[in-house]
Amino acid sequence: KQSIVVYLGTLIGMVNVLFIYPYFLKPEELGLARFLIDTAGLFAPFILMGASGLTVRFFPEFKDEERNHHGFLSLLFSYTLFGLLVSGLVYLGFKEGLQSYYGQRDPLFKEYFWALWWCTVFYSLSLLVQQYTTNFKRIVIPTLIRQYLIKISLPTLAVLYYFEYIDLNILVYGVVFTFIADFLLQLIYLACLGELRFGNFIPHLNKDRRQQMISFAMFGLFGSIGNKIINYMDSFMVGTLFSLEGLAVFYIAFVITSVMNVPYLAINSISGPIIANAWHKDNRKEIMDLYSKSSLVLLTIGFGLFILIWTNIDSFYSIMPNGDLYVAGKSVILILGISRLLDLATGLNSAVIGYSKYYRYNFYFMGILAVANILLNLWLIPILGINGAALATLVSLGLFNLARYLFIWKMFNMQPFSTATLKIFIVCMMLLVIGSLLPSYYHPFFNLVWHSALMGTLFLLMVVFTNWCPDLRKMVMDVKNRVVGRKK
Protein backbone atom coordinates (compact mmCIF):
# COMPACT_ATOMS: atom_id res chain seq x y z
CA LYS A 1 0.00 0.00 0.00
CA GLN A 2 2.79 2.39 0.92
CA SER A 3 4.58 1.73 -2.38
CA ILE A 4 1.43 2.43 -4.39
CA VAL A 5 0.89 5.71 -2.52
CA VAL A 6 4.49 6.84 -3.09
CA TYR A 7 4.63 5.89 -6.78
CA LEU A 8 1.29 7.54 -7.58
CA GLY A 9 2.39 10.61 -5.64
CA THR A 10 5.59 10.72 -7.68
CA LEU A 11 3.57 10.48 -10.90
CA ILE A 12 1.30 13.35 -9.85
CA GLY A 13 4.35 15.38 -8.87
CA MET A 14 5.97 14.82 -12.26
CA VAL A 15 2.81 15.94 -14.09
CA ASN A 16 2.71 19.06 -11.91
CA VAL A 17 6.37 19.90 -12.45
CA LEU A 18 6.59 19.20 -16.17
CA PHE A 19 3.25 20.59 -17.33
CA ILE A 20 1.10 22.46 -14.80
CA TYR A 21 3.58 24.70 -12.95
CA PRO A 22 5.52 25.89 -16.04
CA TYR A 23 2.27 26.75 -17.84
CA PHE A 24 0.26 28.45 -15.09
CA LEU A 25 3.02 30.13 -13.03
CA LYS A 26 5.87 32.44 -13.94
CA PRO A 27 9.32 31.17 -12.89
CA GLU A 28 9.59 33.71 -10.04
CA GLU A 29 6.11 32.76 -8.74
CA LEU A 30 6.93 29.04 -8.83
CA GLY A 31 10.25 29.86 -7.17
CA LEU A 32 8.45 31.68 -4.35
CA ALA A 33 6.08 28.76 -3.71
CA ARG A 34 8.92 26.23 -3.73
CA PHE A 35 11.02 28.44 -1.45
CA LEU A 36 8.24 28.48 1.15
CA ILE A 37 7.65 24.72 0.92
CA ASP A 38 11.27 23.56 0.77
CA THR A 39 12.57 26.02 3.37
CA ALA A 40 9.83 24.92 5.78
CA GLY A 41 11.18 21.39 5.48
CA LEU A 42 14.74 22.64 5.95
CA PHE A 43 14.01 24.59 9.16
CA ALA A 44 11.61 22.07 10.73
CA PRO A 45 14.38 20.22 12.66
CA PHE A 46 15.22 23.41 14.56
CA ILE A 47 11.65 23.59 15.88
CA LEU A 48 11.34 19.86 16.59
CA MET A 49 14.86 19.60 18.10
CA GLY A 50 14.95 15.83 17.64
CA ALA A 51 11.36 15.22 18.81
CA SER A 52 10.47 13.26 15.67
CA GLY A 53 13.09 10.65 16.60
CA LEU A 54 11.86 10.45 20.19
CA THR A 55 8.35 9.53 19.02
CA VAL A 56 9.44 6.04 17.89
CA ARG A 57 12.53 5.33 19.99
CA PHE A 58 10.94 5.91 23.44
CA PHE A 59 7.29 5.09 22.82
CA PRO A 60 7.73 1.46 24.03
CA GLU A 61 8.88 2.80 27.42
CA PHE A 62 5.73 4.94 27.77
CA LYS A 63 3.22 2.62 26.12
CA ASP A 64 0.28 1.91 28.42
CA GLU A 65 -3.25 2.29 27.03
CA GLU A 66 -4.86 2.35 30.47
CA ARG A 67 -2.71 5.33 31.49
CA ASN A 68 -2.88 7.17 28.14
CA HIS A 69 0.71 6.11 27.41
CA HIS A 70 1.86 8.08 30.48
CA GLY A 71 1.20 11.37 28.66
CA PHE A 72 3.84 10.70 26.00
CA LEU A 73 2.03 12.80 23.39
CA SER A 74 1.76 15.64 25.89
CA LEU A 75 5.51 15.37 26.49
CA LEU A 76 6.22 15.55 22.76
CA PHE A 77 4.06 18.63 22.26
CA SER A 78 5.55 20.31 25.35
CA TYR A 79 9.06 19.65 24.08
CA THR A 80 8.13 20.97 20.63
CA LEU A 81 6.52 24.06 22.19
CA PHE A 82 9.89 24.89 23.75
CA GLY A 83 11.48 24.57 20.31
CA LEU A 84 8.79 26.85 18.89
CA LEU A 85 9.49 29.53 21.50
CA VAL A 86 13.26 29.45 20.91
CA SER A 87 12.84 29.46 17.11
CA GLY A 88 10.25 32.25 17.35
CA LEU A 89 12.67 34.48 19.24
CA VAL A 90 15.39 33.82 16.66
CA TYR A 91 12.92 34.55 13.84
CA LEU A 92 11.86 37.87 15.38
CA GLY A 93 15.47 38.83 15.98
CA PHE A 94 16.54 38.31 12.37
CA LYS A 95 13.25 39.08 10.62
CA GLU A 96 14.00 42.67 9.60
CA GLY A 97 17.51 41.89 8.38
CA LEU A 98 16.38 38.89 6.35
CA GLN A 99 13.47 40.77 4.79
CA SER A 100 15.79 43.60 3.80
CA TYR A 101 18.38 41.22 2.33
CA TYR A 102 15.90 39.24 0.27
CA GLY A 103 13.82 42.27 -0.68
CA GLN A 104 16.76 44.01 -2.38
CA ARG A 105 16.93 41.25 -5.01
CA ASP A 106 13.38 39.85 -5.22
CA PRO A 107 10.47 42.05 -4.04
CA LEU A 108 8.23 38.96 -3.69
CA PHE A 109 10.48 37.71 -0.90
CA LYS A 110 9.99 40.77 1.24
CA GLU A 111 6.25 40.89 0.67
CA TYR A 112 5.63 37.26 1.58
CA PHE A 113 8.45 36.48 3.99
CA TRP A 114 5.93 36.24 6.84
CA ALA A 115 4.49 33.05 5.32
CA LEU A 116 7.77 31.19 5.83
CA TRP A 117 7.35 31.09 9.62
CA TRP A 118 3.81 29.68 9.53
CA CYS A 119 4.68 27.10 6.88
CA THR A 120 7.59 25.91 9.02
CA VAL A 121 5.54 25.75 12.24
CA PHE A 122 2.72 23.65 10.84
CA TYR A 123 5.05 21.49 8.74
CA SER A 124 6.91 20.65 11.96
CA LEU A 125 3.76 19.87 13.95
CA SER A 126 2.37 17.73 11.15
CA LEU A 127 5.62 15.76 10.90
CA LEU A 128 5.58 15.14 14.66
CA VAL A 129 2.04 13.75 14.60
CA GLN A 130 2.76 11.64 11.52
CA GLN A 131 5.82 10.09 13.17
CA TYR A 132 3.85 9.41 16.35
CA THR A 133 1.13 7.65 14.34
CA THR A 134 3.66 5.11 13.02
CA ASN A 135 3.81 3.66 16.54
CA PHE A 136 0.39 2.16 15.87
CA LYS A 137 1.52 0.62 12.56
CA ARG A 138 -0.46 3.12 10.53
CA ILE A 139 1.62 4.64 7.75
CA VAL A 140 -0.51 4.72 4.60
CA ILE A 141 -3.12 7.39 5.47
CA PRO A 142 -0.59 9.82 7.05
CA THR A 143 1.63 9.43 3.99
CA LEU A 144 -1.37 9.89 1.72
CA ILE A 145 -2.22 13.16 3.49
CA ARG A 146 1.31 14.52 3.36
CA GLN A 147 2.13 13.30 -0.15
CA TYR A 148 -1.05 14.37 -1.88
CA LEU A 149 -2.24 17.50 -0.10
CA ILE A 150 0.50 19.80 -1.40
CA LYS A 151 0.57 18.05 -4.80
CA ILE A 152 -3.14 18.71 -5.29
CA SER A 153 -3.53 22.08 -3.58
CA LEU A 154 -0.60 23.91 -5.21
CA PRO A 155 -1.53 23.08 -8.83
CA THR A 156 -5.14 23.94 -8.01
CA LEU A 157 -4.03 27.31 -6.65
CA ALA A 158 -1.83 27.82 -9.73
CA VAL A 159 -4.76 27.23 -12.10
CA LEU A 160 -7.04 29.54 -10.10
CA TYR A 161 -4.33 32.21 -10.07
CA TYR A 162 -3.72 31.90 -13.82
CA PHE A 163 -7.40 32.44 -14.61
CA GLU A 164 -7.48 35.37 -12.13
CA TYR A 165 -9.96 33.80 -9.72
CA ILE A 166 -7.41 34.57 -6.98
CA ASP A 167 -4.43 36.88 -6.72
CA LEU A 168 -0.88 36.06 -5.62
CA ASN A 169 -1.70 37.06 -2.06
CA ILE A 170 -4.44 34.42 -1.84
CA LEU A 171 -2.15 31.87 -3.48
CA VAL A 172 0.42 32.35 -0.69
CA TYR A 173 -2.32 32.13 1.95
CA GLY A 174 -3.38 28.91 0.24
CA VAL A 175 0.10 27.44 0.63
CA VAL A 176 0.07 28.30 4.34
CA PHE A 177 -3.42 26.84 4.78
CA THR A 178 -2.24 23.62 3.10
CA PHE A 179 0.27 23.10 5.91
CA ILE A 180 -2.37 23.91 8.52
CA ALA A 181 -4.76 21.42 6.90
CA ASP A 182 -2.01 18.78 6.86
CA PHE A 183 -1.52 19.14 10.62
CA LEU A 184 -5.25 19.11 11.40
CA LEU A 185 -5.90 16.05 9.21
CA GLN A 186 -3.03 14.17 10.88
CA LEU A 187 -4.57 14.97 14.28
CA ILE A 188 -8.04 13.91 13.12
CA TYR A 189 -6.70 10.60 11.85
CA LEU A 190 -4.88 9.99 15.14
CA ALA A 191 -8.14 10.73 16.98
CA CYS A 192 -10.00 8.28 14.72
CA LEU A 193 -7.51 5.62 15.80
CA GLY A 194 -8.40 6.45 19.41
CA GLU A 195 -4.81 7.47 20.12
CA LEU A 196 -5.11 11.24 20.56
CA ARG A 197 -4.35 10.79 24.26
CA PHE A 198 -2.95 13.42 26.62
CA GLY A 199 -1.91 13.08 30.22
CA ASN A 200 0.63 13.86 32.94
CA PHE A 201 4.10 12.72 31.81
CA ILE A 202 6.15 14.08 34.74
CA PRO A 203 5.85 11.01 37.07
CA HIS A 204 7.12 8.73 34.30
CA LEU A 205 9.99 11.02 33.33
CA ASN A 206 12.70 10.03 35.80
CA LYS A 207 16.20 11.50 35.71
CA ASP A 208 17.83 8.59 33.87
CA ARG A 209 15.15 8.48 31.16
CA ARG A 210 15.25 12.26 30.78
CA GLN A 211 19.00 12.20 30.18
CA GLN A 212 18.67 9.39 27.64
CA MET A 213 15.95 11.25 25.77
CA ILE A 214 17.90 14.50 25.68
CA SER A 215 21.01 12.71 24.39
CA PHE A 216 19.06 10.85 21.71
CA ALA A 217 17.16 14.02 20.72
CA MET A 218 20.38 15.95 20.22
CA PHE A 219 21.82 13.22 18.00
CA GLY A 220 18.46 13.08 16.24
CA LEU A 221 18.52 16.85 15.69
CA PHE A 222 22.00 16.61 14.21
CA GLY A 223 20.95 13.79 11.91
CA SER A 224 17.71 15.52 10.89
CA ILE A 225 19.55 18.70 9.99
CA GLY A 226 21.95 16.74 7.80
CA ASN A 227 19.10 14.86 6.16
CA LYS A 228 17.12 18.04 5.49
CA ILE A 229 20.21 19.72 4.09
CA ILE A 230 20.51 16.89 1.58
CA ASN A 231 16.91 17.43 0.46
CA TYR A 232 16.33 21.16 0.82
CA MET A 233 19.56 23.14 1.18
CA ASP A 234 20.13 23.46 -2.57
CA SER A 235 16.72 25.08 -3.08
CA PHE A 236 17.29 27.41 -0.14
CA MET A 237 20.76 28.41 -1.30
CA VAL A 238 19.77 28.92 -4.94
CA GLY A 239 16.85 31.09 -3.82
CA THR A 240 19.12 32.99 -1.44
CA LEU A 241 22.27 33.41 -3.55
CA PHE A 242 20.90 33.35 -7.08
CA SER A 243 17.25 34.11 -7.98
CA LEU A 244 13.68 32.85 -7.84
CA GLU A 245 13.78 32.13 -11.58
CA GLY A 246 16.92 30.07 -11.11
CA LEU A 247 15.26 28.22 -8.23
CA ALA A 248 12.32 27.27 -10.47
CA VAL A 249 14.69 25.90 -13.14
CA PHE A 250 16.73 24.02 -10.54
CA TYR A 251 13.62 22.63 -8.84
CA ILE A 252 12.25 21.09 -12.03
CA ALA A 253 15.62 19.47 -12.77
CA PHE A 254 15.77 18.20 -9.19
CA VAL A 255 12.30 16.64 -9.39
CA ILE A 256 13.08 14.90 -12.69
CA THR A 257 16.15 13.19 -11.19
CA SER A 258 14.34 12.42 -7.91
CA VAL A 259 12.54 9.61 -9.78
CA MET A 260 15.85 7.71 -9.51
CA ASN A 261 15.57 7.75 -5.72
CA VAL A 262 12.16 6.05 -5.47
CA PRO A 263 13.58 2.46 -5.58
CA TYR A 264 15.93 3.32 -2.70
CA LEU A 265 13.03 4.50 -0.52
CA ALA A 266 11.16 1.25 -1.17
CA ILE A 267 14.15 -1.05 -0.59
CA ASN A 268 15.31 0.88 2.48
CA SER A 269 11.88 0.64 4.15
CA ILE A 270 11.83 -3.12 3.52
CA SER A 271 15.43 -3.83 4.53
CA GLY A 272 15.72 -1.61 7.61
CA PRO A 273 13.95 -3.96 10.07
CA ILE A 274 15.80 -6.96 8.59
CA ILE A 275 19.19 -5.32 9.11
CA ALA A 276 18.22 -4.24 12.64
CA ASN A 277 17.23 -7.81 13.52
CA ALA A 278 20.41 -9.18 11.93
CA TRP A 279 22.58 -6.88 14.06
CA HIS A 280 20.63 -7.96 17.12
CA LYS A 281 21.57 -11.58 16.31
CA ASP A 282 25.06 -10.55 15.13
CA ASN A 283 24.35 -12.20 11.78
CA ARG A 284 26.95 -10.38 9.70
CA LYS A 285 26.58 -12.75 6.77
CA GLU A 286 22.95 -11.67 6.28
CA ILE A 287 23.93 -8.01 6.58
CA MET A 288 26.70 -8.40 4.02
CA ASP A 289 24.31 -10.20 1.68
CA LEU A 290 21.75 -7.37 1.88
CA TYR A 291 24.47 -4.73 1.59
CA SER A 292 25.90 -6.17 -1.64
CA LYS A 293 22.52 -7.04 -3.17
CA SER A 294 21.11 -3.58 -2.48
CA SER A 295 24.13 -2.00 -4.16
CA LEU A 296 23.69 -4.06 -7.33
CA VAL A 297 19.91 -3.64 -7.53
CA LEU A 298 19.89 0.09 -6.80
CA LEU A 299 22.78 0.86 -9.15
CA THR A 300 21.20 -1.13 -11.98
CA ILE A 301 17.69 0.33 -11.58
CA GLY A 302 19.10 3.83 -11.05
CA PHE A 303 21.20 3.59 -14.19
CA GLY A 304 18.21 2.33 -16.17
CA LEU A 305 16.10 5.27 -15.05
CA PHE A 306 18.92 7.72 -15.74
CA ILE A 307 19.36 6.33 -19.26
CA LEU A 308 15.66 6.89 -19.96
CA ILE A 309 15.76 10.40 -18.49
CA TRP A 310 18.87 11.54 -20.35
CA THR A 311 17.81 9.94 -23.64
CA ASN A 312 14.51 11.83 -23.54
CA ILE A 313 15.60 15.06 -21.91
CA ASP A 314 15.23 17.21 -25.03
CA SER A 315 11.78 15.74 -25.68
CA PHE A 316 10.79 16.47 -22.06
CA TYR A 317 11.68 20.14 -22.40
CA SER A 318 10.05 20.37 -25.86
CA ILE A 319 6.74 19.00 -24.56
CA MET A 320 6.83 21.02 -21.34
CA PRO A 321 4.92 24.33 -21.44
CA ASN A 322 7.44 27.20 -21.56
CA GLY A 323 10.17 24.57 -21.77
CA ASP A 324 12.55 27.08 -23.33
CA LEU A 325 12.61 28.90 -19.97
CA TYR A 326 13.62 25.74 -18.12
CA VAL A 327 15.98 24.04 -20.58
CA ALA A 328 18.90 25.68 -18.75
CA GLY A 329 18.39 22.92 -16.17
CA LYS A 330 19.61 20.23 -18.60
CA SER A 331 23.16 20.35 -17.26
CA VAL A 332 21.77 20.29 -13.70
CA ILE A 333 19.97 17.03 -14.53
CA LEU A 334 23.23 15.48 -15.74
CA ILE A 335 25.14 16.48 -12.60
CA LEU A 336 22.36 15.53 -10.16
CA GLY A 337 21.85 12.25 -12.02
CA ILE A 338 25.50 11.33 -11.49
CA SER A 339 25.27 12.27 -7.80
CA ARG A 340 22.22 10.02 -7.35
CA LEU A 341 24.03 7.14 -9.05
CA LEU A 342 26.91 7.50 -6.57
CA ASP A 343 24.41 7.47 -3.72
CA LEU A 344 22.59 4.41 -5.03
CA ALA A 345 25.78 2.47 -5.76
CA THR A 346 26.73 2.41 -2.07
CA GLY A 347 23.48 0.61 -1.22
CA LEU A 348 22.09 0.50 2.30
CA ASN A 349 25.17 1.95 3.98
CA SER A 350 23.06 4.25 6.16
CA ALA A 351 21.02 1.34 7.58
CA VAL A 352 24.11 -0.83 8.09
CA ILE A 353 25.68 1.87 10.28
CA GLY A 354 22.46 3.24 11.78
CA TYR A 355 21.30 -0.07 13.29
CA SER A 356 24.73 -1.07 14.57
CA LYS A 357 26.33 -0.07 17.87
CA TYR A 358 28.11 2.70 15.97
CA TYR A 359 24.84 4.47 15.09
CA ARG A 360 26.22 7.81 16.32
CA TYR A 361 28.63 7.91 13.40
CA ASN A 362 25.70 8.33 11.03
CA PHE A 363 25.03 11.67 12.73
CA TYR A 364 28.69 12.63 12.50
CA PHE A 365 28.75 11.87 8.78
CA MET A 366 25.54 13.87 8.34
CA GLY A 367 27.20 16.83 10.05
CA ILE A 368 30.19 16.63 7.75
CA LEU A 369 27.85 16.45 4.76
CA ALA A 370 25.90 19.47 5.98
CA VAL A 371 29.00 21.62 6.41
CA ALA A 372 30.49 20.51 3.09
CA ASN A 373 27.23 21.17 1.25
CA ILE A 374 26.81 24.66 2.70
CA LEU A 375 30.42 25.71 2.03
CA LEU A 376 30.38 24.34 -1.50
CA ASN A 377 27.09 26.10 -2.25
CA LEU A 378 28.45 29.39 -0.90
CA TRP A 379 31.51 29.01 -3.12
CA LEU A 380 30.01 27.59 -6.33
CA ILE A 381 26.56 29.22 -6.71
CA PRO A 382 27.91 32.81 -7.12
CA ILE A 383 30.32 31.48 -9.77
CA LEU A 384 28.27 28.88 -11.65
CA GLY A 385 24.66 29.59 -10.63
CA ILE A 386 22.36 26.56 -10.53
CA ASN A 387 25.12 24.37 -11.97
CA GLY A 388 27.18 25.29 -8.92
CA ALA A 389 24.40 24.06 -6.63
CA ALA A 390 24.29 20.77 -8.53
CA LEU A 391 28.08 20.39 -8.33
CA ALA A 392 27.93 21.09 -4.59
CA THR A 393 25.48 18.20 -4.24
CA LEU A 394 27.66 15.91 -6.35
CA VAL A 395 30.86 16.60 -4.42
CA SER A 396 29.31 16.58 -0.94
CA LEU A 397 27.27 13.40 -1.56
CA GLY A 398 30.32 11.74 -3.11
CA LEU A 399 32.49 12.51 -0.06
CA PHE A 400 29.63 11.55 2.27
CA ASN A 401 29.17 8.11 0.75
CA LEU A 402 32.91 7.54 0.44
CA ALA A 403 33.29 8.20 4.17
CA ARG A 404 30.50 5.75 5.06
CA TYR A 405 31.84 3.16 2.61
CA LEU A 406 35.34 3.30 4.15
CA PHE A 407 33.90 3.23 7.68
CA ILE A 408 31.90 0.05 7.00
CA TRP A 409 34.89 -1.56 5.28
CA LYS A 410 37.20 -0.78 8.20
CA MET A 411 34.84 -1.50 11.12
CA PHE A 412 32.90 -4.48 9.73
CA ASN A 413 35.14 -5.70 6.89
CA MET A 414 32.23 -5.32 4.45
CA GLN A 415 32.13 -3.69 1.03
CA PRO A 416 29.34 -4.08 -1.56
CA PHE A 417 31.17 -3.98 -4.88
CA SER A 418 32.09 -6.89 -7.18
CA THR A 419 33.09 -7.54 -10.78
CA ALA A 420 29.38 -7.46 -11.63
CA THR A 421 29.29 -3.84 -10.46
CA LEU A 422 32.01 -2.90 -12.95
CA LYS A 423 30.32 -4.80 -15.79
CA ILE A 424 26.98 -3.09 -15.13
CA PHE A 425 28.68 0.30 -15.00
CA ILE A 426 30.50 -0.20 -18.33
CA VAL A 427 27.46 -1.50 -20.25
CA CYS A 428 25.13 1.16 -18.83
CA MET A 429 27.62 3.88 -19.78
CA MET A 430 27.58 2.50 -23.32
CA LEU A 431 23.77 2.57 -23.33
CA LEU A 432 23.85 6.15 -22.02
CA VAL A 433 26.09 7.21 -24.92
CA ILE A 434 23.87 5.38 -27.44
CA GLY A 435 20.76 7.03 -26.03
CA SER A 436 22.28 10.51 -26.25
CA LEU A 437 23.16 9.96 -29.95
CA LEU A 438 19.73 8.79 -31.08
CA PRO A 439 18.24 11.00 -33.83
CA SER A 440 14.96 12.85 -33.37
CA TYR A 441 12.07 12.89 -35.85
CA TYR A 442 8.73 14.64 -36.12
CA HIS A 443 6.95 15.44 -32.86
CA PRO A 444 8.87 15.25 -29.54
CA PHE A 445 6.20 12.93 -28.11
CA PHE A 446 6.94 10.45 -30.91
CA ASN A 447 10.65 10.70 -30.13
CA LEU A 448 9.96 10.11 -26.45
CA VAL A 449 8.04 6.92 -27.21
CA TRP A 450 10.50 5.31 -29.61
CA HIS A 451 13.59 6.41 -27.67
CA SER A 452 12.13 4.94 -24.48
CA ALA A 453 11.06 1.73 -26.22
CA LEU A 454 14.48 1.15 -27.77
CA MET A 455 16.60 2.01 -24.71
CA GLY A 456 14.23 0.22 -22.34
CA THR A 457 14.47 -2.93 -24.46
CA LEU A 458 18.29 -2.79 -24.59
CA PHE A 459 18.43 -2.31 -20.83
CA LEU A 460 16.09 -5.24 -20.16
CA LEU A 461 18.12 -7.46 -22.50
CA MET A 462 21.21 -6.66 -20.43
CA VAL A 463 19.38 -7.54 -17.21
CA VAL A 464 17.90 -10.80 -18.51
CA PHE A 465 20.81 -12.24 -20.51
CA THR A 466 23.78 -11.32 -18.30
CA ASN A 467 22.44 -12.25 -14.83
CA TRP A 468 24.85 -9.73 -13.33
CA CYS A 469 22.01 -8.62 -11.07
CA PRO A 470 20.18 -11.89 -10.18
CA ASP A 471 17.52 -10.25 -7.98
CA LEU A 472 16.46 -7.81 -10.67
CA ARG A 473 16.57 -10.54 -13.33
CA LYS A 474 14.28 -12.70 -11.20
CA MET A 475 11.84 -9.82 -10.81
CA VAL A 476 11.74 -9.22 -14.58
CA MET A 477 11.25 -12.92 -15.30
CA ASP A 478 8.47 -13.17 -12.70
CA VAL A 479 6.62 -10.32 -14.40
CA LYS A 480 7.14 -11.95 -17.80
CA ASN A 481 5.84 -15.31 -16.57
CA ARG A 482 2.74 -13.71 -15.05
CA VAL A 483 1.95 -11.85 -18.27
CA VAL A 484 2.47 -14.97 -20.40
CA GLY A 485 0.42 -17.05 -17.96
CA ARG A 486 -2.50 -14.62 -18.11
CA LYS A 487 -2.48 -14.67 -21.91
CA LYS A 488 -2.68 -18.45 -21.88
Side-chain angles (χ1 to χ4, degrees):
K1 292 178 183 178
Q2 179 81 343
S3 299
I4 292 171
V5 168
V6 173
Y7 277 108
L8 288 179
T10 301
L11 179 61
I12 294 172
M14 291 296 292
V15 172
N16 289 341
V17 168
L18 296 178
F19 301 105
I20 295 179
Y21 296 152
Y23 185 83
F24 292 103
L25 291 176
K26 297 176 183 177
E28 63 270 20
E29 294 163 348
L30 174 58
L32 174 65
R34 290 315 313 179
F35 182 81
L36 294 175
I37 295 167
D38 292 345
T39 306
L42 177 64
F43 288 157
F46 295 99
I47 289 179
L48 292 174
M49 297 196 305
S52 58
L54 295 176
T55 58
V56 177
R57 169 62 179 81
F58 287 92
F59 179 73
E61 299 184 21
F62 283 80
K63 186 177 180 180
D64 188 334
E65 291 188 5
E66 294 182 358
R67 293 178 173 81
N68 291 326
H69 306 304
H70 296 286
F72 188 52
L73 188 59
S74 300
L75 170 61
L76 293 173
F77 274 117
S78 299
Y79 182 77
T80 304
L81 178 61
F82 175 74
L84 273 171
L85 292 173
V86 174
S87 301
L89 291 174
V90 173
Y91 171 79
L92 291 174
F94 288 93
K95 180 181 177 181
E96 294 297 327
L98 291 172
Q99 280 185 317
S100 176
Y101 170 77
Y102 283 117
Q104 290 177 0
R105 193 189 66 246
D106 291 292
L108 289 181
F109 267 131
K110 186 172 184 178
E111 187 175 355
Y112 296 108
F113 192 80
W114 61 268
L116 177 60
W117 167 252
W118 295 109
C119 288
T120 305
V121 168
F122 286 101
Y123 178 93
S124 304
L125 293 173
S126 172
L127 181 61
L128 179 71
V129 178
Q130 183 185 6
Q131 286 288 96
Y132 183 75
T133 306
T134 63
N135 288 313
F136 311 103
K137 297 180 175 61
R138 294 290 188 272
I139 60 175
V140 176
I141 299 300
T143 303
L144 188 67
I145 295 170
R146 177 170 288 274
Q147 283 268 336
Y148 285 65
L149 201 58
I150 191 69
K151 291 178 180 178
I152 293 175
S153 66
L154 186 54
T156 301
L157 290 168
V159 172
L160 292 174
Y161 172 70
Y162 179 81
F163 288 107
E164 299 183 349
Y165 288 107
I166 62 173
D167 57 18
L168 188 59
N169 195 44
I170 298 299
L171 188 148
V172 173
Y173 272 106
V175 173
V176 175
F177 180 76
T178 298
F179 285 99
I180 297 174
D182 182 14
F183 170 59
L184 293 177
L185 288 172
Q186 300 285 358
L187 277 179
I188 291 170
Y189 181 67
L190 187 61
C192 290
L193 295 177
E195 297 296 346
L196 189 61
R197 302 163 179 250
F198 298 98
N200 184 9
F201 57 83
I202 294 177
H204 202 66
L205 194 65
N206 56 52
K207 182 179 179 181
D208 182 56
R209 181 173 287 122
R210 185 169 61 249
Q211 290 176 344
Q212 290 179 24
M213 293 181 73
I214 292 173
S215 175
F216 190 87
M218 290 303 101
F219 277 107
L221 171 62
F222 197 50
S224 295
I225 292 171
N227 184 56
K228 293 299 182 182
I229 284 174
I230 295 173
N231 292 297
Y232 298 107
M233 180 55 75
D234 290 332
S235 295
F236 174 72
M237 297 291 275
V238 170
T240 300
L241 301 175
F242 195 58
S243 67
L244 287 176
E245 293 88 344
L247 175 55
V249 174
F250 182 88
Y251 167 69
I252 286 178
F254 177 87
V255 170
I256 290 174
T257 58
S258 67
V259 174
M260 298 169 61
N261 204 43
V262 173
Y264 169 81
L265 298 176
I267 291 177
N268 187 57
S269 64
I270 294 167
S271 303
I274 301 173
I275 292 176
N277 187 58
W279 273 125
H280 180 69
K281 297 178 179 178
D282 198 27
N283 189 345
R284 299 198 174 202
K285 183 179 182 301
E286 184 178 11
I287 295 170
M288 179 60 212
D289 188 47
L290 284 170
Y291 187 30
S292 58
K293 283 183 176 182
S294 68
S295 173
L296 273 177
V297 171
L298 291 172
L299 176 63
T300 307
I301 297 177
F303 238 128
L305 292 171
F306 187 50
I307 290 167
L308 290 176
I309 290 171
W310 191 247
T311 300
N312 293 296
I313 192 61
D314 291 326
S315 298
F316 278 141
Y317 281 115
S318 297
I319 295 172
M320 184 191 307
N322 299 316
D324 56 315
L325 299 177
Y326 298 93
V327 73
K330 184 177 177 180
S331 54
V332 174
I333 290 175
L334 178 62
I335 298 169
L336 290 181
I338 295 171
S339 69
R340 291 195 183 276
L341 285 176
L342 289 175
D343 197 32
L344 294 171
T346 52
L348 300 170
N349 53 11
S350 178
V352 172
I353 298 173
Y355 292 109
S356 73
K357 63 181 179 180
Y358 299 105
Y359 70 90
R360 288 181 175 85
Y361 283 87
N362 250 351
F363 303 136
Y364 301 150
F365 291 137
M366 282 288 187
I368 295 171
L369 170 64
V371 173
N373 190 271
I374 292 171
L375 293 178
L376 287 168
N377 272 302
L378 288 171
W379 175 38
L380 293 173
I381 290 177
I383 301 173
L384 301 173
I386 57 177
N387 290 328
L391 280 173
T393 297
L394 173 60
V395 174
S396 58
L397 265 182
L399 294 174
F400 175 59
N401 282 292
L402 177 63
R404 294 199 294 191
Y405 165 78
L406 293 175
F407 180 84
I408 293 173
W409 195 2
K410 178 177 176 58
M411 301 304 296
F412 310 128
N413 195 29
M414 299 179 189
Q415 69 89 20
F417 303 126
S418 63
T419 55
T421 306
L422 180 60
K423 292 174 183 177
I424 290 169
F425 177 80
I426 293 173
V427 173
C428 285
M429 284 298 298
M430 293 172 61
L431 292 177
L432 193 63
V433 172
I434 292 171
S436 64
L437 296 176
L438 291 178
S440 297
Y441 305 106
Y442 311 118
H443 194 274
F445 184 78
F446 173 79
N447 294 321
L448 190 150
V449 172
W450 86 268
H451 287 177
S452 299
L454 176 61
M455 299 312 301
T457 301
L458 292 175
F459 177 77
L460 288 176
L461 288 174
M462 179 201 74
V463 171
V464 172
F465 288 101
T466 63
N467 201 31
W468 292 333
C469 186
D471 295 279
L472 188 57
R473 181 181 184 275
K474 182 179 183 301
M475 185 182 74
V476 173
M477 296 306 294
D478 286 345
V479 173
K480 171 183 171 292
N481 292 334
R482 288 179 183 178
V483 172
V484 173
R486 285 179 180 176
K487 287 182 178 180
K488 291 180 179 179

